[in-house]
Amino acid sequence: QVQVVESGGGLVQPGGSLRLSCSASGSTSSINAMGWYRQAPGKQRESVATVTDGGKTDYVDSVRGRFTISMDNSGDTAYLQMTGLKPEDTAVYYCVVDYYGSDRWIWGQGTQVTVSA
């Protein structure tokens, strides 16, 4: 079965940086796109950034210019480089993977990002 694992979360001061990693394994299909969602307590989960296997990226307006999503040449690993972090970025960040031929996304377990002085 497919496994999606995130890492890299932690506690950082405002203005600091973190890099999240997402590794997908266990599927015979190729990955069409990978993305990062986040959810703060009491708030709805939102899409933060996505990247396709062709390198097309999208960002939510609140992180544009501060966050960068990328995918390894291997096609099974994604990163979210976060700079200029703000307290409002505090959330659990989830990696999601879209495989060719799949009718649903595969989600990771989430990694906590806390931005606080």
Side-chain angles (χ1 to χ4, degrees):
Q1 61 182 9
V2 175
Q3 185 176 23
V4 177
V5 179
E6 306 102 325
S7 63
L11 175 65
V12 64
Q13 292 186 340
S17 300
L18 284 173
R19 189 179 76 157
L20 306 183
S21 299
C22 174
S23 179
S25 62
S27 177
T28 59
S29 300
S30 297
I31 292 174
N32 179 44
M34 302 181 75
W36 293 92
Y37 281 66
R38 67 184 180 187
Q39 186 169 25
K43 295 187 177 180
Q44 188 170 315
R45 187 176 298 186
E46 67 171 349
S47 176
V48 178
T50 57
V51 59
T52 71
D53 64 332
K56 183 180 184 298
T57 59
D58 282 309
Y59 300 92
V60 67
D61 287 345
S62 61
V63 310
R64 197 182 312 276
R66 298 188 297 118
F67 292 8
T68 302
I69 189 170
S70 61
M71 184 182 293
D72 269 358
N73 291 333
S74 63
D76 59 10
T77 304
Y79 304 94
L80 187 68
Q81 180 66 51
M82 305 183 293
T83 62
L85 283 162
K86 304 175 180 180
E88 51 263 43
D89 295 319
T90 296
V92 177
Y93 284 71
Y94 298 90
C95 180
V96 64
V97 183
D98 177 27
Y99 287 93
Y100 284 106
S102 177
D103 60 354
R104 70 185 189 95
W105 296 343
I106 308 300
W107 294 80
Q109 83 288 350
T111 185
Q112 176 71 48
V113 172
T114 302
V115 185
S116 176

